[in-house]
Amino acid sequence: MKNKEEKIKMIICGARRGRYSKPIPLRSLKFKRKLPKKIRCHNADYILHPKQKWFPSNEMFLQKWILTKKELKEAIEEYDFFSLEMPNKIICKFCAEEVRKKNKNF
């Protein structure tokens, strides 16, 4: 470094904008194909089930990645692909309850 006052910028991979929506029961959604009998929970928090267990599909919930119009515009302008291309999550009923407890806005 030429100058001690020079700061290093770090780029951390991950979405900077957006959030997951409230959990929606899979049984209330319509799909073109039949769902499998059991589905894995895609939650990143493995405290409730550390081995990523399989659960019946009629007990699973969907969380969609949502952006506001302002966040979407900023992400497009700044080429923030992580925020634009976040996948939806399918979570179990235990994780859905935890999400509802943490986010009282739902």
Side-chain angles (χ1 to χ4, degrees):
M1 289 174 57
K2 295 178 182 179
N3 189 353
K4 290 182 180 180
E5 296 176 10
E6 187 176 318
K7 294 183 180 179
I8 298 172
K9 291 184 180 180
M10 289 182 57
I11 298 173
I12 299 173
C13 293
R16 294 185 295 158
R17 297 168 182 87
R19 67 209 161 281
Y20 280 104
S21 68
K22 68 177 185 175
I24 306 164
L26 279 182
R27 62 181 171 266
S28 67
L29 302 173
K30 294 181 181 178
F31 295 97
K32 292 180 181 179
R33 297 183 179 152
K34 188 177 178 181
L35 290 174
K37 290 183 180 181
K38 292 189 175 189
I39 303 174
R40 280 187 184 209
C41 180
H42 297 138
N43 198 357
D45 186 15
Y46 300 113
I47 295 171
L48 296 174
H49 39 82
K51 292 187 180 178
Q52 206 178 30
K53 296 180 182 177
W54 292 80
F55 296 92
S57 60
N58 61 351
E59 297 178 0
M60 301 300 280
F61 292 82
L62 175 72
Q63 276 192 296
K64 295 181 179 182
W65 186 255
I66 54 174
L67 293 165
T68 62
K69 289 181 180 180
K70 181 181 176 184
E71 290 172 335
L72 179 63
K73 183 179 176 183
E74 289 173 358
I76 292 170
E77 288 174 356
E78 295 179 14
Y79 304 105
D80 184 5
F81 293 109
F82 288 111
S83 297
L84 293 172
E85 297 181 356
M86 282 293 289
N88 296 333
K89 290 195 304 187
I90 297 177
I91 59 174
C92 66
K93 63 181 179 181
F94 306 110
C95 295
E97 289 173 12
E98 289 296 318
V99 168
R100 287 186 183 130
K101 285 179 186 177
K102 289 180 183 176
N103 299 323
K104 294 180 182 178
N105 300 341
F106 296 154

